[in-house]
Each structure stands twice: as structure tokens, then as C-alpha cells.
Amino acid sequence: MAKFLNTSATNYYLEEMIKGASERLILISPYLKLNDRIKELLDDKNRLKIDVRIVYGKNELQPNEIKWLKELSYIRTSFCKNLHAKCYINESSTIITSLNLYEFSQVNNNEMGIFASRIEDPEVYRDTFEEAQRIIRISDEVRMSVETVQKEKKDTATNKPSKPKKVTSVDDSPTVSNNAKLSTSKIAVKLKMKTGEFLASLVESGLLIEKDNKHHITEQGKQAGGELKVSKRYGDYFIWPEDFAFNEKEKA
């Protein structure tokens, strides 16, 4: 019979579900930010070669956490646009809950959920599992990647820290089939900029304009090789020549 879970019970049952997974584990949560306990449990699942799928809608991981997750070969991550569902499943049970896979929610929020067993609640478990599989199918598997942020070096003249030469980047942008062009986030990484900084530079250079909180490509942007792409999964995004660089006039 299904069980009602309050905040503490939801956290307890979630940990037990992860620990008890012997065949598969599915974690679906809009926010991806793992506490130390969950990371420890996932490390163990990886050592045991358990198939783990994590589906998220927003990545809140720190660079060291991205590096850690990338090294876990049996844990796969997928990005799902407009994800709001929170559901956790192993081969024998499921939890449907308001609890995000996010430390703040687990510590500070008032949450509730329902625990269902595959044996005692077969219909609930089956329907939940099938919906989780559908969400996985419409999601895009993401290869976590991160560039090492160089330690700040102090300027001997001013004794102030210099700007890092590299920035952290999570590669969750769509793969562009045009070999000669890359998405905005990938170009930003090549230019050692954050995506937001790169977009601001494109606006300042007249290659994009910002209207109604949305970027639009200009004729100048098109002449520079930029293109607007539309994806049902990612929404609108831009691609640019792989060797894209601002010319001196655009920088001025």
C-alpha cells in the first residue's frame, strides 16, 4: 500500500531507495545540486556498476562537482526542457514528491511525497516507470564537461588578483550538425568567455539585439555568419562560424 511521506520521511526513503538499487536507478528533478550524502551514495552505485539516469532541467553544480560526475561512467545525465516533475525510481519502488534533488529543498523546505512499492502498488509503479521512461526519451543526454579554472595570480604592480584565463562551462547546449559552425555557448568557451558575457558582446557589436528579454539576430549578425536555429527541445539558439572572432571595428 502506498505511504504518505513528510519532509524527513521523503529524505529517508530517498536515501534508502538509492542504497537499495541493485539494477537501475532513475532520478528526475528540475534542479541538479547534490549534497555530500547523495554524492557518496551515487559513488557507491557507480562502483557497483548500477545503471543510473539523472534527468534535470537546471544545472546548479559547482565545477568540482561537474568534474566528479563526469568521472562516473555508470551515471548518465539528461537535460529536459520545462521539467517540473520530481520522481525517484529503482527496480522495486518509486517516490513521487515535491522534493527536488537539491540540498536547499532537503534541508529548508516543507515537502511531501508518496512512496509506492512495485509489489504492493503494481499499477502506480508501472505508470510512474512508464512516464519516467517517456521523460528520458524526450530528454537529451548531456556530456558533462568543465575546463579547469586557473588560480588567480596577483599582479605584482597592483597586488590585485588578475582575471582567470579560463571559465567553467557545462556543455548542455544542442549539438550543431553544421561542422563549420558552433552554438553560442561553445563559441564562448573557445573565446574564454562566459556565455552571458559573449551574448552581451554580440549585442554591443550590433550582431544581436535584445528585445522583450529575447535576443534577435541582426543583418550584421547574419553577414558575420550567424544563424538562428529553432529546436523543439532547446528553443531558439544561434550558431556562429567555428573561427568566429570580433574584428577590430566591432570591438571598438
Side-chain angles (χ1 to χ4, degrees):
M1 182 181 295
K3 298 178 182 178
F4 170 79
L5 307 175
N6 61 17
T7 305
S8 58
T10 303
N11 279 292
Y12 171 78
Y13 272 82
L14 176 58
E15 285 196 14
E16 291 300 306
M17 173 180 288
I18 297 174
K19 283 195 294 185
S22 59
E23 297 176 11
R24 62 173 175 264
L25 179 66
I26 301 172
L27 305 174
I28 298 175
S29 172
Y31 292 95
L32 181 57
K33 187 173 183 180
L34 309 172
N35 64 35
D36 290 340
R37 178 60 176 164
I38 297 295
K39 286 191 285 187
E40 180 183 296
L41 294 174
L42 291 177
D43 256 329
D44 188 51
K45 295 296 104 175
N46 187 68
R47 282 191 293 269
L48 294 173
K49 300 182 180 180
I50 306 301
D51 180 37
V52 179
R53 292 297 302 263
I54 300 176
V55 182
Y56 67 93
K58 185 175 181 181
N59 192 332
E60 301 263 342
L61 295 177
Q62 297 299 312
N64 61 324
E65 293 175 311
I66 297 171
K67 184 178 180 181
W68 162 80
L69 192 56
K70 183 183 176 184
E71 294 171 352
L72 303 182
S73 55
Y74 288 89
I75 296 181
R76 292 179 289 167
T77 56
S78 298
F79 170 79
C80 182
K81 184 181 178 183
N82 298 328
L83 180 66
H84 198 258
K86 298 102 174 175
C87 178
Y88 311 107
I89 308 172
N90 67 11
E91 67 278 356
S92 61
S93 60
T94 180
I95 298 172
I96 304 169
T97 177
S98 61
L99 181 76
N100 283 297
L101 199 62
Y102 184 50
E103 187 172 17
F104 183 89
S105 297
Q106 295 166 334
V107 174
N108 298 280
N109 291 349
N110 292 307
E111 308 285 356
M112 62 175 64
I114 295 293
F115 172 88
S117 164
R118 183 178 184 178
I119 295 175
E120 297 179 0
D121 312 286
E123 187 175 348
V124 174
Y125 179 90
R126 184 185 67 248
D127 291 346
T128 306
F129 180 76
E130 289 178 355
E131 179 62 14
Q133 290 296 315
R134 186 193 70 82
I135 290 175
I136 290 173
R137 287 194 299 272
I138 66 171
S139 303
D140 289 279
E141 191 165 336
V142 172
R143 178 181 60 83
M144 289 286 179
S145 65
V146 60
E147 292 187 13
T148 302
V149 179
Q150 295 183 346
K151 291 183 178 179
E152 294 182 345
K153 298 179 181 178
K154 289 191 175 182
D155 189 315
T156 55
T158 62
N159 199 34
K160 293 181 180 179
S162 60
K163 291 183 179 179
K165 293 185 178 179
K166 290 188 177 181
V167 298
T168 300
S169 171
V170 180
D171 188 3
D172 58 2
S173 60
T175 301
V176 180
S177 58
N178 188 334
N179 293 328
K181 296 187 178 183
L182 299 175
S183 63
T184 301
S185 61
K186 289 182 171 65
I187 292 291
V189 171
K190 287 174 66 68
L191 296 176
K192 300 182 175 65
M193 300 172 69
K194 293 181 179 179
T195 303
E197 294 173 341
F198 180 48
L199 285 169
S201 298
L202 292 170
V203 172
E204 185 179 353
S205 302
L207 304 181
L208 295 178
I209 59 172
E210 190 171 1
K211 184 179 180 181
D212 299 327
N213 295 319
K214 187 176 180 180
H215 288 97
H216 304 268
I217 193 166
T218 64
E219 284 301 320
Q220 187 177 343
K222 294 176 182 178
Q223 291 174 9
E227 293 181 42
L228 170 66
K229 293 290 183 180
V230 179
S231 167
K232 291 182 179 179
R233 294 176 179 172
Y234 295 98
D236 296 356
Y237 65 96
F238 302 101
I239 60 174
W240 308 91
E242 189 172 6
D243 58 352
F244 181 91
F246 296 109
N247 61 40
E248 294 305 315
K249 182 181 292 186
E250 288 167 341
K251 284 183 180 180

